[in-house]
Amino acid sequence: MLLVIALLAPALRLPMARAQPDPARQLLDAMTPAEKVGQLFVVTFTGQEVGPNSEVAALVQDERVGGVALLAANQNFVNDENAPFQVRDTSQQLQALALQSGSLPLFVAIDHEGDGWPYSRLTGGTTPLPNPMAVGATWNPDLAREMGHITGQELAAAGINLLLGPDADVLSEPRAASRGDLGTRVFGGDPYWVGRMGRAYVAGVHEGSGGRMATVAKHFPGHGGSDRLPDDEVATVDKSLQELRRIELAPFFAVTRYEVPDDPAATDALMSSHIRYRGFQGNIRQFTAPISFDPQGLRTILAEEEFAQWRERGLMVSDSLGVPAVKKYFDPTGQTFPHRQIARDALMAGNDLLILAQFAREDGWAPQLANMRDAMAYFREQYGTDRAFTERVDEAVLKIIRLKLKLYPEFAEGAATLPALPEPTFGQRGAFTQAVAEQALTLLFPRTLEELDERLPRAPLRGEPIVIFTDARRVRDCFDCPYYQLLPTDALQRAILRRYGPEGTDQVTEAQIISFSFEDLKLFLGAPGVLENSADPAAATERAEAVRNLVERAEWILLVMQDINLSPAPGSQSQAPRYPESDAARLLLDAAAGSLFNKRVVAFAFNVPYQLDTTEITKLSAAFALYSKQEPFVDVAARALFRELAPHTAPPVTVDAVNYDLPMQLEPDPNQTITLEGITNTLVSAPAELDVSTSVILDRNGHPVPDGTSVEMVGTWLDAPGTAGPRVAATTTNGIARATLPLTMDGIMELRVVAGQAESERPLVVQVGMPTPTPSAEPSATPEPTATRTATSTPESLSLVSDAVDGPLVGSLPDAPEAPTQPPAPEDPLSLFDFLLGAVGTLLAVGSAWRLSRGRPLTGRVRAALLVVIGGMGSYLLWGATGAAGGLLLAAPVALLGALLALGITRLLPEPR
């Protein structure tokens, strides 16, 4: 029938499907080389001036750049309560400039990872979101999705459409105070959970923005195992490709996976990292290119099967092309900055969108602007003269256009204006951050709540002196911006008094609490250089003595910690530590442990949970991890101190100091009860297949084990000792393992499941096969013949007889049903000789059709011949299907008649065009 329709369609003028035009390709073909080149770049700029005569306006309208990145460090906005509205106005003005010049909409990009400075650029006026590790500590992907939703909703209302996040790195080997430690920027230390949280977050961003925001997962192909941050020089990951697949790459496989078409949980882009990977780049040397500049290396990673579908549409985005790591790679002496080569190498390596930030050897704006414009001019010169370069530009720009049309489908329909931004609603989701803070609260030491009750049986009482030391480091958003404290020195004191002071439950008084900074703590400890470097040594000495007196009288000492960061500031010529006071808590526990005798000492980690070693942490009465420094987390710390909240004991990363090994914790809990499910009550005999599944298998933290956890289904024949039973390996999905066991013999089988050190507590017992029929007490007078039962190999389900090894078999087994008698197959009404006669008749008609079609086009003659074949053989088959008699006498005439009828139809059809 399909062949008939295909042959008749041209003559009957049936409408045929036509390829739809590709709007992205049409836009690309209509663009000039200058317009194509401009789309490759996302630029930075300084100040808030974005009028028609501004420098950024020239980049947008003259250079036709593809996007801009907004930074508080460049004073593009001021982080006060009005900051989101500043960004909203700026983004709208920039988009208007692009549209007035006939360009596509701009990418307006920003970092917004959570927890405020330094990885969230827009902090004023928006919801104070936690960092990813705090969300990871809740073990709740729904909260990751909600965080993404809030991010997408607020940033979209501010005019942002390109989110430089989430961070999909895995902190598999935490290293306190290490230059390569990513800290709380990541969701955790397990690839499965990082991938799961990342997918949920990406889906939330897409939903919250109404599909108007793209995500850029970073730092591909994985930063968690690097030996340093790119602040100083190119880092190295010393792992094989298989190791990368198992850990670093696994979350990127997750966030690029399409489970449904246009999956909202799949990221739009990946950001390449400035890191070397020894495992597939060979022997690493100083001149080995980072993966972001290595075409072969980046191609090797993206060739992995898991990226096949994403590669067709996904965008590769470079990290900033002016960071110190890039500068030192291209010129270790720091004397030059080959901006043209840097931009070209990044593009040719496989990056589609290039971020030009810090794009000069110097820090000033003027040389950066000059380098940007010169790099674009160089690209325009190369386009059309270098074939490989031209093809690479077109390939990258086509992907950029497709993503922009996804964000703004109106442009595919010829629109020249952008839709109105969503109604501005900023900073109204504080309840979410409060919920994350409560669920993230983790007890680090001691390891159990029972032991906590022994070491810290009660909260502070009224009148008991409390001294608080806070890592209140000072930062600023830009060079000319004022300094402020990330965690105010009295933050925890105010939280305690707000709930438990005179205006709250009145459990404590203001007079019994006093707060100091970590700088004051180092003065008290007499750390080298602290007193000498103070502005007023005499006053510093007096303050140190006052701190000593208060510590001696205190009954409670509270340590409010962030991370330990003693590395030099980026770009600094000095080797002075960035935050020299950040290790004060460690010094107190190491050098002044005697001062803590008979005192209750409690530590609160408002950043990473692994900065103390085993000796240090055991000197504490208790240690809690809060992960984030936002105000709701400080409130939760106060509530934890007063035993109002019960913490959990499962941090999302390894903490060596308390012997908490995350990979081991995510193994199946050996103390759980696993049951087997999915068995029905149908009885069959072997051979057969048994489909079974497990109950949800939990890890040692009480959560479903990660997908891919190994499980074995093991069968043992109870009535045939020594006979090997079926044994099938399976892996989990959402904590459940499913498998099919082949059964090759009848008998009674015990079935159990083994998952790591855990196994089913009460194995299942199943009956395979039919029981032997019991002879009748009264012999039948006239035995009836019985049909022989035909053994079947069709897999069927088996019945559960007992769920206890030593339990009775339940019920009686029915007799085997008689196999139905098969009717004899009908004889073929036509013989092979008859078929040959029919074929001869058809061929005669084909020859006639070919001769009668002389003078027609070749397509017409072929169509006529094929229609005659269809008519002749179709008539013959129809005759045979009816079982008609006649065979030798009528086979050929029937086929010939059908062929001649088809021949007549061909004479009536018009010529095909």
Side-chain angles (χ1 to χ4, degrees), residues 815-857:
D815 293 337
E818 292 184 353
T821 303
Q822 298 293 333
E827 296 181 2
D828 187 0
L830 300 179
S831 66
L832 176 62
F833 188 62
D834 298 333
F835 170 78
L836 293 176
L837 288 176
V840 168
T842 301
L843 290 175
L844 291 174
V846 170
S848 301
W850 189 263
R851 291 180 60 82
L852 291 174
S853 301
R854 283 184 299 182
R856 287 191 173 191

mmCIF file of all heavy atoms in Angstrom, residues 815-857:
data_model
loop_
_atom_site.group_PDB
_atom_site.id
_atom_site.type_symbol
_atom_site.label_atom_id
_atom_site.label_comp_id
_atom_site.label_asym_id
_atom_site.label_seq_id
_atom_site.Cartn_x
_atom_site.Cartn_y
_atom_site.Cartn_z
ATOM 1 N N ASP A 815 -3.443 -28.693 39.355
ATOM 2 C CA ASP A 815 -2.953 -29.567 38.299
ATOM 3 C C ASP A 815 -2.571 -28.755 37.096
ATOM 4 O O ASP A 815 -3.146 -27.696 36.817
ATOM 5 C CB ASP A 815 -4.037 -30.582 37.896
ATOM 6 C CG ASP A 815 -4.316 -31.560 39.028
ATOM 7 O OD1 ASP A 815 -3.417 -31.737 39.879
ATOM 8 O OD2 ASP A 815 -5.428 -32.118 39.064
ATOM 9 N N ALA A 816 -1.619 -29.288 36.365
ATOM 10 C CA ALA A 816 -1.197 -28.597 35.148
ATOM 11 C C ALA A 816 -2.315 -28.637 34.128
ATOM 12 O O ALA A 816 -2.931 -29.678 33.899
ATOM 13 C CB ALA A 816 0.047 -29.274 34.587
ATOM 14 N N PRO A 817 -2.622 -27.508 33.500
ATOM 15 C CA PRO A 817 -3.674 -27.493 32.483
ATOM 16 C C PRO A 817 -3.237 -28.267 31.256
ATOM 17 O O PRO A 817 -2.058 -28.331 30.926
ATOM 18 C CB PRO A 817 -3.830 -26.005 32.170
ATOM 19 C CG PRO A 817 -2.509 -25.422 32.500
ATOM 20 C CD PRO A 817 -1.992 -26.216 33.658
ATOM 21 N N GLU A 818 -4.260 -28.915 30.597
ATOM 22 C CA GLU A 818 -3.953 -29.644 29.388
ATOM 23 C C GLU A 818 -3.604 -28.682 28.279
ATOM 24 O O GLU A 818 -4.236 -27.641 28.130
ATOM 25 C CB GLU A 818 -5.155 -30.495 28.966
ATOM 26 C CG GLU A 818 -5.442 -31.647 29.932
ATOM 27 C CD GLU A 818 -6.570 -32.509 29.409
ATOM 28 O OE1 GLU A 818 -7.167 -32.116 28.395
ATOM 29 O OE2 GLU A 818 -6.840 -33.554 30.006
ATOM 30 N N ALA A 819 -2.628 -29.050 27.509
ATOM 31 C CA ALA A 819 -2.258 -28.210 26.371
ATOM 32 C C ALA A 819 -3.310 -28.335 25.292
ATOM 33 O O ALA A 819 -3.781 -29.428 24.988
ATOM 34 C CB ALA A 819 -0.904 -28.647 25.823
ATOM 35 N N PRO A 820 -3.777 -27.235 24.715
ATOM 36 C CA PRO A 820 -4.808 -27.297 23.670
ATOM 37 C C PRO A 820 -4.269 -28.005 22.433
ATOM 38 O O PRO A 820 -3.104 -27.892 22.088
ATOM 39 C CB PRO A 820 -5.092 -25.819 23.391
ATOM 40 C CG PRO A 820 -3.857 -25.119 23.802
ATOM 41 C CD PRO A 820 -3.326 -25.900 24.964
ATOM 42 N N THR A 821 -5.190 -28.776 21.795
ATOM 43 C CA THR A 821 -4.833 -29.476 20.567
ATOM 44 C C THR A 821 -4.753 -28.486 19.419
ATOM 45 O O THR A 821 -5.695 -27.704 19.199
ATOM 46 C CB THR A 821 -5.883 -30.547 20.236
ATOM 47 O OG1 THR A 821 -5.985 -31.439 21.340
ATOM 48 C CG2 THR A 821 -5.485 -31.317 18.970
ATOM 49 N N GLN A 822 -3.640 -28.473 18.730
ATOM 50 C CA GLN A 822 -3.450 -27.537 17.640
ATOM 51 C C GLN A 822 -4.117 -28.070 16.377
ATOM 52 O O GLN A 822 -3.928 -29.225 16.001
ATOM 53 C CB GLN A 822 -1.949 -27.335 17.378
ATOM 54 C CG GLN A 822 -1.194 -26.741 18.536
ATOM 55 C CD GLN A 822 -1.633 -25.312 18.787
ATOM 56 O OE1 GLN A 822 -2.083 -24.631 17.867
ATOM 57 N NE2 GLN A 822 -1.527 -24.882 20.027
ATOM 58 N N PRO A 823 -4.951 -27.260 15.685
ATOM 59 C CA PRO A 823 -5.551 -27.706 14.420
ATOM 60 C C PRO A 823 -4.483 -27.855 13.366
ATOM 61 O O PRO A 823 -3.478 -27.151 13.380
ATOM 62 C CB PRO A 823 -6.520 -26.569 14.077
ATOM 63 C CG PRO A 823 -5.951 -25.389 14.754
ATOM 64 C CD PRO A 823 -5.315 -25.900 16.019
ATOM 65 N N PRO A 824 -4.704 -28.788 12.423
ATOM 66 C CA PRO A 824 -3.701 -28.969 11.364
ATOM 67 C C PRO A 824 -3.599 -27.731 10.515
ATOM 68 O O PRO A 824 -4.589 -27.030 10.283
ATOM 69 C CB PRO A 824 -4.244 -30.167 10.563
ATOM 70 C CG PRO A 824 -5.716 -30.192 10.845
ATOM 71 C CD PRO A 824 -5.876 -29.701 12.251
ATOM 72 N N ALA A 825 -2.397 -27.444 10.085
ATOM 73 C CA ALA A 825 -2.187 -26.257 9.245
ATOM 74 C C ALA A 825 -2.832 -26.470 7.888
ATOM 75 O O ALA A 825 -2.775 -27.556 7.315
ATOM 76 C CB ALA A 825 -0.695 -26.017 9.082
ATOM 77 N N PRO A 826 -3.490 -25.426 7.328
ATOM 78 C CA PRO A 826 -4.122 -25.553 6.012
ATOM 79 C C PRO A 826 -3.067 -25.744 4.941
ATOM 80 O O PRO A 826 -1.964 -25.221 5.023
ATOM 81 C CB PRO A 826 -4.855 -24.222 5.843
ATOM 82 C CG PRO A 826 -4.122 -23.287 6.713
ATOM 83 C CD PRO A 826 -3.650 -24.091 7.878
ATOM 84 N N GLU A 827 -3.448 -26.533 3.923
ATOM 85 C CA GLU A 827 -2.523 -26.744 2.835
ATOM 86 C C GLU A 827 -2.460 -25.514 1.961
ATOM 87 O O GLU A 827 -3.434 -24.781 1.819
ATOM 88 C CB GLU A 827 -2.971 -27.948 1.999
ATOM 89 C CG GLU A 827 -2.931 -29.262 2.779
ATOM 90 C CD GLU A 827 -3.356 -30.417 1.888
ATOM 91 O OE1 GLU A 827 -3.631 -30.164 0.704
ATOM 92 O OE2 GLU A 827 -3.395 -31.544 2.386
ATOM 93 N N ASP A 828 -1.308 -25.286 1.390
ATOM 94 C CA ASP A 828 -1.127 -24.156 0.487
ATOM 95 C C ASP A 828 -1.957 -24.402 -0.773
ATOM 96 O O ASP A 828 -1.760 -25.405 -1.457
ATOM 97 C CB ASP A 828 0.350 -24.024 0.137
ATOM 98 C CG ASP A 828 0.624 -22.771 -0.671
ATOM 99 O OD1 ASP A 828 -0.330 -22.015 -0.951
ATOM 100 O OD2 ASP A 828 1.795 -22.556 -1.007
ATOM 101 N N PRO A 829 -2.929 -23.511 -1.131
ATOM 102 C CA PRO A 829 -3.795 -23.763 -2.279
ATOM 103 C C PRO A 829 -3.060 -23.647 -3.604
ATOM 104 O O PRO A 829 -3.518 -24.144 -4.618
ATOM 105 C CB PRO A 829 -4.870 -22.685 -2.153
ATOM 106 C CG PRO A 829 -4.215 -21.585 -1.413
ATOM 107 C CD PRO A 829 -3.283 -22.263 -0.453
ATOM 108 N N LEU A 830 -1.930 -22.965 -3.639
ATOM 109 C CA LEU A 830 -1.218 -22.775 -4.891
ATOM 110 C C LEU A 830 0.175 -23.361 -4.772
ATOM 111 O O LEU A 830 0.860 -23.151 -3.784
ATOM 112 C CB LEU A 830 -1.140 -21.286 -5.241
ATOM 113 C CG LEU A 830 -2.482 -20.566 -5.412
ATOM 114 C CD1 LEU A 830 -2.236 -19.103 -5.736
ATOM 115 C CD2 LEU A 830 -3.329 -21.202 -6.502
ATOM 116 N N SER A 831 0.600 -24.051 -5.751
ATOM 117 C CA SER A 831 1.935 -24.647 -5.744
ATOM 118 C C SER A 831 2.946 -23.668 -6.284
ATOM 119 O O SER A 831 2.601 -22.609 -6.815
ATOM 120 C CB SER A 831 1.927 -25.919 -6.606
ATOM 121 O OG SER A 831 1.710 -25.562 -7.970
ATOM 122 N N LEU A 832 4.220 -24.005 -6.165
ATOM 123 C CA LEU A 832 5.278 -23.175 -6.702
ATOM 124 C C LEU A 832 5.125 -23.025 -8.212
ATOM 125 O O LEU A 832 5.360 -21.950 -8.774
ATOM 126 C CB LEU A 832 6.643 -23.793 -6.350
ATOM 127 C CG LEU A 832 7.867 -23.090 -6.937
ATOM 128 C CD1 LEU A 832 7.947 -21.653 -6.414
ATOM 129 C CD2 LEU A 832 9.128 -23.856 -6.595
ATOM 130 N N PHE A 833 4.698 -24.106 -8.876
ATOM 131 C CA PHE A 833 4.519 -24.036 -10.329
ATOM 132 C C PHE A 833 3.430 -23.036 -10.700
ATOM 133 O O PHE A 833 3.547 -22.277 -11.675
ATOM 134 C CB PHE A 833 4.201 -25.430 -10.869
ATOM 135 C CG PHE A 833 4.191 -25.493 -12.381
ATOM 136 C CD1 PHE A 833 5.347 -25.212 -13.112
ATOM 137 C CD2 PHE A 833 3.022 -25.811 -13.065
ATOM 138 C CE1 PHE A 833 5.329 -25.263 -14.494
ATOM 139 C CE2 PHE A 833 3.005 -25.869 -14.446
ATOM 140 C CZ PHE A 833 4.163 -25.594 -15.175
ATOM 141 N N ASP A 834 2.347 -23.030 -9.877
ATOM 142 C CA ASP A 834 1.293 -22.043 -10.118
ATOM 143 C C ASP A 834 1.847 -20.626 -9.988
ATOM 144 O O ASP A 834 1.513 -19.726 -10.767
ATOM 145 C CB ASP A 834 0.155 -22.229 -9.106
ATOM 146 C CG ASP A 834 -0.482 -23.597 -9.239
ATOM 147 O OD1 ASP A 834 -0.432 -24.159 -10.338
ATOM 148 O OD2 ASP A 834 -1.022 -24.072 -8.222
ATOM 149 N N PHE A 835 2.686 -20.417 -8.951
ATOM 150 C CA PHE A 835 3.252 -19.078 -8.740
ATOM 151 C C PHE A 835 4.099 -18.644 -9.935
ATOM 152 O O PHE A 835 4.048 -17.497 -10.383
ATOM 153 C CB PHE A 835 4.100 -19.084 -7.469
ATOM 154 C CG PHE A 835 4.927 -17.830 -7.296
ATOM 155 C CD1 PHE A 835 4.344 -16.652 -6.846
ATOM 156 C CD2 PHE A 835 6.284 -17.817 -7.599
ATOM 157 C CE1 PHE A 835 5.100 -15.509 -6.710
ATOM 158 C CE2 PHE A 835 7.024 -16.675 -7.474
ATOM 159 C CZ PHE A 835 6.433 -15.518 -7.016
ATOM 160 N N LEU A 836 4.886 -19.569 -10.480
ATOM 161 C CA LEU A 836 5.726 -19.224 -11.629
ATOM 162 C C LEU A 836 4.870 -18.838 -12.834
ATOM 163 O O LEU A 836 5.200 -17.905 -13.574
ATOM 164 C CB LEU A 836 6.643 -20.393 -11.968
ATOM 165 C CG LEU A 836 7.728 -20.707 -10.909
ATOM 166 C CD1 LEU A 836 8.513 -21.955 -11.319
ATOM 167 C CD2 LEU A 836 8.665 -19.530 -10.740
ATOM 168 N N LEU A 837 3.752 -19.535 -13.026
ATOM 169 C CA LEU A 837 2.853 -19.177 -14.134
ATOM 170 C C LEU A 837 2.279 -17.778 -13.937
ATOM 171 O O LEU A 837 2.170 -16.983 -14.871
ATOM 172 C CB LEU A 837 1.730 -20.202 -14.244
ATOM 173 C CG LEU A 837 2.143 -21.590 -14.787
ATOM 174 C CD1 LEU A 837 0.957 -22.541 -14.745
ATOM 175 C CD2 LEU A 837 2.673 -21.471 -16.208
ATOM 176 N N GLY A 838 1.893 -17.473 -12.663
ATOM 177 C CA GLY A 838 1.381 -16.127 -12.392
ATOM 178 C C GLY A 838 2.428 -15.075 -12.638
ATOM 179 O O GLY A 838 2.146 -13.994 -13.169
ATOM 180 N N ALA A 839 3.680 -15.371 -12.249
ATOM 181 C CA ALA A 839 4.748 -14.406 -12.467
ATOM 182 C C ALA A 839 5.001 -14.193 -13.953
ATOM 183 O O ALA A 839 5.260 -13.076 -14.404
ATOM 184 C CB ALA A 839 6.020 -14.892 -11.776
ATOM 185 N N VAL A 840 4.906 -15.287 -14.756
ATOM 186 C CA VAL A 840 5.103 -15.155 -16.209
ATOM 187 C C VAL A 840 4.038 -14.239 -16.804
ATOM 188 O O VAL A 840 4.322 -13.358 -17.636
ATOM 189 C CB VAL A 840 5.081 -16.555 -16.875
ATOM 190 C CG1 VAL A 840 4.995 -16.430 -18.396
ATOM 191 C CG2 VAL A 840 6.310 -17.345 -16.480
ATOM 192 N N GLY A 841 2.780 -14.440 -16.360
ATOM 193 C CA GLY A 841 1.719 -13.569 -16.868
ATOM 194 C C GLY A 841 1.962 -12.116 -16.516
ATOM 195 O O GLY A 841 1.733 -11.207 -17.323
ATOM 196 N N THR A 842 2.439 -11.894 -15.318
ATOM 197 C CA THR A 842 2.712 -10.523 -14.893
ATOM 198 C C THR A 842 3.837 -9.908 -15.719
ATOM 199 O O THR A 842 3.766 -8.746 -16.139
ATOM 200 C CB THR A 842 3.082 -10.504 -13.403
ATOM 201 O OG1 THR A 842 2.006 -11.057 -12.651
ATOM 202 C CG2 THR A 842 3.342 -9.088 -12.927
ATOM 203 N N LEU A 843 4.895 -10.700 -15.977
ATOM 204 C CA LEU A 843 6.017 -10.172 -16.753
ATOM 205 C C LEU A 843 5.600 -9.840 -18.174
ATOM 206 O O LEU A 843 6.083 -8.872 -18.779
ATOM 207 C CB LEU A 843 7.162 -11.184 -16.746
ATOM 208 C CG LEU A 843 7.883 -11.368 -15.402
ATOM 209 C CD1 LEU A 843 8.914 -12.487 -15.500
ATOM 210 C CD2 LEU A 843 8.539 -10.068 -14.976
ATOM 211 N N LEU A 844 4.689 -10.649 -18.754
ATOM 212 C CA LEU A 844 4.177 -10.309 -20.087
ATOM 213 C C LEU A 844 3.486 -8.958 -20.074
ATOM 214 O O LEU A 844 3.652 -8.140 -20.981
ATOM 215 C CB LEU A 844 3.212 -11.410 -20.559
ATOM 216 C CG LEU A 844 3.859 -12.775 -20.876
ATOM 217 C CD1 LEU A 844 2.776 -13.811 -21.184
ATOM 218 C CD2 LEU A 844 4.827 -12.653 -22.044
ATOM 219 N N ALA A 845 2.708 -8.730 -19.027
ATOM 220 C CA ALA A 845 2.029 -7.440 -18.922
ATOM 221 C C ALA A 845 3.019 -6.305 -18.711
ATOM 222 O O ALA A 845 2.838 -5.199 -19.225
ATOM 223 C CB ALA A 845 1.025 -7.477 -17.771
ATOM 224 N N VAL A 846 4.100 -6.567 -17.950
ATOM 225 C CA VAL A 846 5.122 -5.531 -17.750
ATOM 226 C C VAL A 846 5.760 -5.164 -19.075
ATOM 227 O O VAL A 846 5.988 -3.982 -19.393
ATOM 228 C CB VAL A 846 6.189 -6.023 -16.740
ATOM 229 C CG1 VAL A 846 7.381 -5.071 -16.719
ATOM 230 C CG2 VAL A 846 5.593 -6.131 -15.353
ATOM 231 N N GLY A 847 6.078 -6.192 -19.881
ATOM 232 C CA GLY A 847 6.670 -5.903 -21.188
ATOM 233 C C GLY A 847 5.738 -5.089 -22.052
ATOM 234 O O GLY A 847 6.163 -4.146 -22.739
ATOM 235 N N SER A 848 4.470 -5.425 -22.009
ATOM 236 C CA SER A 848 3.496 -4.657 -22.790
ATOM 237 C C SER A 848 3.432 -3.215 -22.305
ATOM 238 O O SER A 848 3.366 -2.260 -23.090
ATOM 239 C CB SER A 848 2.119 -5.316 -22.679
ATOM 240 O OG SER A 848 2.157 -6.643 -23.159
ATOM 241 N N ALA A 849 3.441 -3.046 -20.970
ATOM 242 C CA ALA A 849 3.380 -1.689 -20.422
ATOM 243 C C ALA A 849 4.586 -0.874 -20.853
ATOM 244 O O ALA A 849 4.484 0.317 -21.167
ATOM 245 C CB ALA A 849 3.315 -1.760 -18.888
ATOM 246 N N TRP A 850 5.759 -1.508 -20.863
ATOM 247 C CA TRP A 850 6.988 -0.783 -21.239
ATOM 248 C C TRP A 850 6.942 -0.348 -22.698
ATOM 249 O O TRP A 850 7.304 0.764 -23.047
ATOM 250 C CB TRP A 850 8.187 -1.688 -20.971
ATOM 251 C CG TRP A 850 9.503 -0.989 -21.100
ATOM 252 C CD1 TRP A 850 10.329 -0.975 -22.174
ATOM 253 C CD2 TRP A 850 10.109 -0.172 -20.116
ATOM 254 N NE1 TRP A 850 11.429 -0.211 -21.923
ATOM 255 C CE2 TRP A 850 11.316 0.301 -20.654
ATOM 256 C CE3 TRP A 850 9.750 0.195 -18.820
ATOM 257 C CZ2 TRP A 850 12.176 1.130 -19.953
ATOM 258 C CZ3 TRP A 850 10.605 1.010 -18.110
ATOM 259 C CH2 TRP A 850 11.805 1.479 -18.671
ATOM 260 N N ARG A 851 6.415 -1.251 -23.580
ATOM 261 C CA ARG A 851 6.349 -0.912 -25.000
ATOM 262 C C ARG A 851 5.297 0.153 -25.252
ATOM 263 O O ARG A 851 5.508 1.090 -26.035
ATOM 264 C CB ARG A 851 6.026 -2.174 -25.821
ATOM 265 C CG ARG A 851 7.159 -3.207 -25.855
ATOM 266 C CD ARG A 851 6.763 -4.426 -26.681
ATOM 267 N NE ARG A 851 6.457 -4.082 -28.056
ATOM 268 C CZ ARG A 851 7.371 -3.911 -29.019
ATOM 269 N NH1 ARG A 851 8.658 -4.093 -28.736
ATOM 270 N NH2 ARG A 851 7.016 -3.605 -30.260
ATOM 271 N N LEU A 852 4.163 0.044 -24.587
ATOM 272 C CA LEU A 852 3.099 1.027 -24.798
ATOM 273 C C LEU A 852 3.462 2.394 -24.228
ATOM 274 O O LEU A 852 2.813 3.389 -24.546
ATOM 275 C CB LEU A 852 1.801 0.533 -24.156
ATOM 276 C CG LEU A 852 1.155 -0.691 -24.838
ATOM 277 C CD1 LEU A 852 -0.039 -1.174 -24.022
ATOM 278 C CD2 LEU A 852 0.729 -0.336 -26.265
ATOM 279 N N SER A 853 4.467 2.454 -23.330
ATOM 280 C CA SER A 853 4.840 3.726 -22.708
ATOM 281 C C SER A 853 5.967 4.423 -23.443
ATOM 282 O O SER A 853 6.528 5.408 -22.941
ATOM 283 C CB SER A 853 5.274 3.489 -21.244
ATOM 284 O OG SER A 853 4.240 2.902 -20.507
ATOM 285 N N ARG A 854 6.343 3.898 -24.610
ATOM 286 C CA ARG A 854 7.409 4.556 -25.360
ATOM 287 C C ARG A 854 7.020 5.988 -25.686
ATOM 288 O O ARG A 854 5.863 6.263 -26.049
ATOM 289 C CB ARG A 854 7.700 3.780 -26.646
ATOM 290 C CG ARG A 854 8.526 2.517 -26.419
ATOM 291 C CD ARG A 854 8.864 1.838 -27.718
ATOM 292 N NE ARG A 854 7.652 1.438 -28.436
ATOM 293 C CZ ARG A 854 7.666 0.789 -29.606
ATOM 294 N NH1 ARG A 854 8.827 0.477 -30.174
ATOM 295 N NH2 ARG A 854 6.528 0.462 -30.191
ATOM 296 N N GLY A 855 7.975 6.838 -25.599
ATOM 297 C CA GLY A 855 7.720 8.270 -25.822
ATOM 298 C C GLY A 855 7.470 9.036 -24.543
ATOM 299 O O GLY A 855 7.524 10.265 -24.535
ATOM 300 N N ARG A 856 7.185 8.327 -23.463
ATOM 301 C CA ARG A 856 6.997 8.983 -22.171
ATOM 302 C C ARG A 856 8.356 9.160 -21.477
ATOM 303 O O ARG A 856 9.313 8.454 -21.804
ATOM 304 C CB ARG A 856 6.089 8.147 -21.263
ATOM 305 C CG ARG A 856 4.625 8.154 -21.668
ATOM 306 C CD ARG A 856 3.796 7.528 -20.573
ATOM 307 N NE ARG A 856 2.372 7.637 -20.822
ATOM 308 C CZ ARG A 856 1.426 7.347 -19.913
ATOM 309 N NH1 ARG A 856 1.792 6.945 -18.716
ATOM 310 N NH2 ARG A 856 0.167 7.485 -20.219
ATOM 311 N N PRO A 857 8.438 10.056 -20.490
ATOM 312 C CA PRO A 857 9.686 10.160 -19.716
ATOM 313 C C PRO A 857 9.996 8.850 -19.014
ATOM 314 O O PRO A 857 9.116 8.016 -18.767
ATOM 315 C CB PRO A 857 9.382 11.283 -18.704
ATOM 316 C CG PRO A 857 8.242 12.026 -19.293
ATOM 317 C CD PRO A 857 7.432 11.052 -20.085
#
